[in-house]
Amino acid sequence: MAVLGKAKRGKSTLINALLGRRDDEVAPIDKLPASSAITRFAWAEEERAVVSFRDDCREPIPFARIREFVTEELNRENHKDVAVVDVVGSFENLDPDVVLVDTPGASSIHEHHDALLHAFIPQADAVILLVTARMPLDQDELELLRHVKKSDIRKIFFAVNKVD
């Protein structure tokens, strides 16, 4: 289940909440668009993270290093060529049959975020589209929904953020 939305809508914050985390160690957040790579979260008894690179190499890393591979701040324009980061652990709120996916935001100030996001969408079985209460659906989000529909994803859930 991929979490999609425009940049700075709170996708990583939502994922941290869905995982039962009270920190942003596994799904980093920032004042600027943060996510520069795809991160998948799954339930397992033991915590571990593995970075898979585009050249098919893999590197196990501790949770404390996730930020180095998935944020624009420490992996600008994904210059480390990260394909995906897989993070597993005993996340209290995550069903063992669900894989939750954090994606870069759409319509970001970084063009490569859109390319990465659109390339990933066809791989999703379902999506959560995160929108803001101030303007529930703008033109960019409607375009994102069109891309989801074109990918024949039929399970679409909406989450409204910033209702306060």
Side-chain angles (χ1 to χ4, degrees), residues 142-159:
L142 288 172
E143 185 59 37
L144 185 56
L145 274 174
R146 283 186 198 95
H147 194 79
V148 168
K149 183 179 178 189
K150 189 168 67 173
S151 298
D152 201 31
I153 298 169
R154 298 177 189 264
K155 296 173 186 163
I156 304 171
F157 302 91
F158 290 85

Side-chain angles (χ1 to χ4, degrees), residues 52-143:
S52 296
F53 297 94
R54 290 185 182 143
D55 66 1
D56 293 328
C57 290
R58 296 169 48 102
E59 178 182 345
I61 60 168
F63 280 8
R65 291 193 59 209
I66 292 171
R67 185 177 298 272
E68 294 175 36
F69 297 93
V70 303
T71 65
E72 195 61 42
E73 175 188 17
L74 299 175
N75 184 15
R76 257 190 221 295
E77 298 185 17
N78 195 11
H79 71 274
K80 295 178 183 176
D81 287 328
V82 174
V84 66
V85 176
D86 287 295
V87 180
V88 301
S90 58
F91 302 119
E92 64 186 57
N93 295 337
L94 187 61
D95 186 289
D97 294 327
V98 173
V99 174
L100 200 57
V101 182
D102 195 4
T103 62
S107 304
S108 165
I109 58 174
H110 307 288
E111 289 181 20
H112 63 280
H113 288 189
D114 280 309
L116 186 60
L117 172 62
H118 288 178
F120 176 78
I121 288 174
Q123 298 174 46
D125 294 322
V127 301
I128 297 173
L129 181 63
L130 186 61
V131 297
T132 181
R134 274 180 282 178
M135 180 186 279
L137 283 173
D138 66 15
Q139 196 59 39
D140 293 327
E141 289 158 330
L142 288 172
E143 185 59 37

Side-chain angles (χ1 to χ4, degrees), residues 35-56:
S35 301
S36 67
I38 301 292
T39 309
R40 294 186 296 220
F41 301 92
W43 195 94
E45 287 188 22
E46 291 187 33
E47 290 184 351
R48 69 182 178 281
V50 176
V51 180
S52 296
F53 297 94
R54 290 185 182 143
D55 66 1
D56 293 328

Side-chain angles (χ1 to χ4, degrees), residues 18-32:
L18 292 173
L19 296 175
R21 302 285 298 197
R22 299 198 190 288
D23 59 35
D24 71 336
E25 185 175 49
V26 297
I29 59 174
D30 199 354
K31 291 178 184 168
L32 297 174

